Amino acid sequence: MEKLMQRFLALLEGTDTNFLRDQHFLVNWNDRMTAIVGARGVGKTTLLLQHIKLHLSTRDTIYVTADDFYFTEHKLLDFAEEFHKMGGRHFFIDEIHKYPGWSKELKLIYDYLPNLQVIFTGSSILDIFKGSDDLSRRVLLYKMHGMSFREYINMKHHLSLPAYTLDQILSHQVKTPGVEFPLATFKEYVRSGYYPFSGQASYMERLLQTVNTTLETDIPMFAKLNANTAIKLKRLMLVLAQSVPFKPNYSKLAEIMDIDRQTLGDYITYMEKAGLIKQLYDSTGGVRGLGKVAKLYLENTNLAYAFSQDIPDIGNLRETFFFNQVSQSHNVMASARADFEIEGKTFEVGGRKKGNSQIEGLGEAYIVKDDIEYGFGHTIPLWHFGFIHSSASSVIT
């Protein structure tokens, strides 16, 4: 335990608390057992360490990573019992998905040690509520995303600009005091601002490494796939990245990939859960998930730059940004006449010269324009949607 504590203290000392993600204020840090899941690279580890550094004492708190060599010979449950006997109250576990049998041991920790708080992180691929160990009544689950455009601005310019509701954005209430050139900052964000390691050297190289690790290790390990699967996943990622946004033809894709249609569907599901792609559904049945997949997108615009040898298609970037930002707090579906539909409102996304013809006669409809700083009437600047209220995405089952 002493070595684990030393590693924890070293990490804590190097943790910067000058900028806090929205998620920091959305999580209920007092619950007995909390899970924070998210794609690789979105900042889950930093979130835990920042909370500890700002609000807890190292006298009764410890942070461990589940893939530490210590846990190849010791059980999490045994460690938790020993830590509890020594006065431990707060047990933080990073990357729980790398520990075999994690769900059963977490259940036992919860049942046997009622005075020990457990907060853990895991891959967004992880299904916390799947299996026979029934954590559903015990765990409060949050999903963590990459940075919104507003978070990027706040981090870059050391500001505290507020978020806005969708209705506030549509009524032109977004204000950005302290930001002299929002459009220039927006271009930076679209290229390299989604992940918290933005601003660090070799951003694109690190992003590609993150994607490769997800495809080569995370998905195969979770789905219990063989090593050859990683090659097919990487090939599929390249095919999708070069084609999005597009209406998927699964039969044709399966033929290209030399796999059956069911396997292709599984791969796409894993990649979406891993934060690499997003599926846009049509409004059939009125509930997302009951309709058919209308289009496939990359999860965020930074991935488009990472996989493009040239400048990515600007129309693709605009739609991807809008879908990514708004879908984190709203149910976004495909529109039969325009690009997107949200709660009965229609949105057509385009450049500054985009006309109104596609939304005429559609009731409450909006033109979302890139390259404009101010909106008017039913014309909204694209970058304003990067200020939409964040969602903690908490789930209690």
Side-chain angles (χ1 to χ4, degrees):
M1 182 176 290
E2 183 178 349
K3 288 185 177 180
L4 289 176
M5 179 61 76
Q6 290 174 353
R7 292 169 192 153
F8 160 49
L9 294 176
L11 285 171
L12 199 64
E13 184 178 356
T15 298
D16 188 344
T17 59
N18 289 324
F19 172 72
L20 302 178
R21 294 286 308 280
D22 288 350
Q23 197 83 24
H24 185 90
F25 305 99
L26 297 171
V27 171
N28 178 5
W29 295 102
N30 297 317
D31 203 73
R32 273 193 61 197
M33 183 169 282
T34 301
I36 301 171
V37 300
R40 180 178 287 270
V42 297
K44 301 184 296 294
T45 299
T46 300
L47 182 74
L48 296 191
L49 292 170
Q50 286 180 329
H51 175 72
I52 296 170
K53 191 167 187 175
L54 290 171
H55 301 291
L56 299 175
S57 168
T58 55
R59 292 192 298 271
D60 59 8
T61 304
I62 194 165
Y63 160 95
V64 301
T65 178
D67 64 347
D68 193 287
F69 281 116
Y70 178 89
F71 294 109
T72 60
E73 298 180 348
H74 301 82
K75 291 186 176 182
L76 271 175
L77 176 59
D78 294 339
F79 178 86
E81 289 178 329
E82 182 181 355
F83 176 62
H84 184 254
K85 289 176 183 177
M86 296 174 61
R89 296 178 56 200
H90 310 285
F91 187 21
F92 289 77
I93 311 168
D94 208 2
E95 299 195 291
I96 193 70
H97 56 281
K98 295 185 177 180
Y99 181 86
W102 58 270
S103 60
K104 181 176 182 179
E105 292 200 35
L106 285 181
K107 176 183 178 296
L108 294 175
I109 291 172
Y110 185 96
D111 293 342
Y112 294 164
L113 304 173
N115 295 320
L116 182 66
Q117 181 193 40
V118 178
I119 299 177
F120 63 95
T121 73
S123 167
S124 54
I125 312 170
L126 203 63
D127 189 346
I128 297 296
F129 303 126
K130 183 179 180 180
S132 60
D133 300 312
D134 190 19
L135 288 172
S136 62
R137 294 180 293 103
R138 299 166 173 83
V139 180
L140 185 63
L141 173 66
Y142 296 90
K143 182 161 184 187
M144 190 170 183
H145 303 278
M147 291 196 298
S148 67
F149 178 46
R150 180 180 62 84
E151 287 183 294
Y152 177 73
I153 287 180
N154 284 340
M155 181 182 73
K156 180 179 176 63
H157 294 287
H158 308 287
L159 298 171
S160 298
L161 298 177
Y164 296 87
T165 66
L166 179 60
D167 287 340
Q168 287 174 326
I169 291 172
L170 298 181
S171 57
H172 309 291
Q173 296 183 38
V174 175
K175 307 295 180 186
T176 57
V179 184
E180 189 174 3
F181 302 108
L183 290 179
T185 307
F186 178 65
K187 299 300 182 186
E188 295 173 5
Y189 170 82
V190 167
R191 179 181 176 86
S192 57
Y194 186 67
Y195 296 89
F197 50 88
S198 174
Q200 298 183 14
S202 304
Y203 176 83
M204 283 300 167
E205 287 77 5
R206 180 171 176 179
L207 176 53
L208 284 172
Q209 182 180 16
T210 298
V211 174
N212 281 332
T213 304
T214 300
L215 296 171
E216 293 174 354
T217 304
D218 296 347
I219 294 177
M221 181 177 68
F222 168 77
K224 297 180 174 57
L225 304 173
N226 59 46
N228 291 332
T229 303
I231 299 175
K232 292 186 177 181
L233 286 171
K234 292 175 73 173
R235 185 184 172 201
L236 178 59
M237 185 70 198
L238 285 173
V239 170
L240 295 178
Q242 293 167 3
S243 306
V244 292
F246 72 105
K247 182 175 178 61
N249 183 327
Y250 287 105
S251 297
K252 186 175 181 179
L253 268 176
E255 183 179 348
I256 293 173
M257 296 298 303
D258 193 26
I259 55 179
D260 62 77
R261 198 175 186 278
Q262 179 60 50
T263 300
L264 174 67
D266 290 341
Y267 287 178
I268 288 177
T269 298
Y270 296 144
M271 292 168 70
E272 182 173 38
K273 287 186 175 182
L276 299 178
I277 62 173
K278 287 179 72 68
Q279 300 183 80
L280 177 69
Y281 294 86
D282 66 27
S283 55
T284 303
V287 179
R288 181 176 179 177
L290 296 181
K292 297 179 180 179
V293 177
K295 283 185 180 181
L296 281 177
Y297 288 84
L298 291 177
E299 202 275 340
N300 63 82
T301 57
N302 290 186
L303 292 172
Y305 277 95
F307 283 96
S308 177
Q309 296 180 349
D310 302 308
I311 299 176
D313 177 74
I314 189 63
N316 174 11
L317 293 174
R318 291 164 178 160
E319 291 184 29
T320 300
F321 171 81
F322 182 91
F323 187 24
N324 169 271
Q325 301 284 288
V326 182
S327 64
Q328 293 178 18
S329 54
H330 290 74
N331 184 22
V332 181
M333 295 181 291
S335 169
R337 286 267 308 271
D339 290 320
F340 303 101
E341 181 180 317
I342 305 168
E343 300 166 3
K345 304 175 179 69
T346 302
F347 298 85
E348 176 69 17
V349 181
R352 63 186 306 163
K353 296 182 179 179
K354 186 73 175 180
N356 298 330
S357 59
Q358 286 183 263
I359 65 169
E360 289 179 355
L362 290 181
E364 188 173 0
Y366 299 86
I367 294 294
V368 180
K369 290 189 177 184
D370 194 8
D371 296 320
I372 63 170
E373 191 167 339
Y374 303 100
F376 52 92
H378 280 222
T379 298
I380 315 295
L382 176 61
W383 62 273
H384 281 194
F385 290 92
F387 278 72
I388 200 163
H389 266 295
S390 299
S391 170
S393 299
S394 61
V395 179
I396 306 177
T397 306

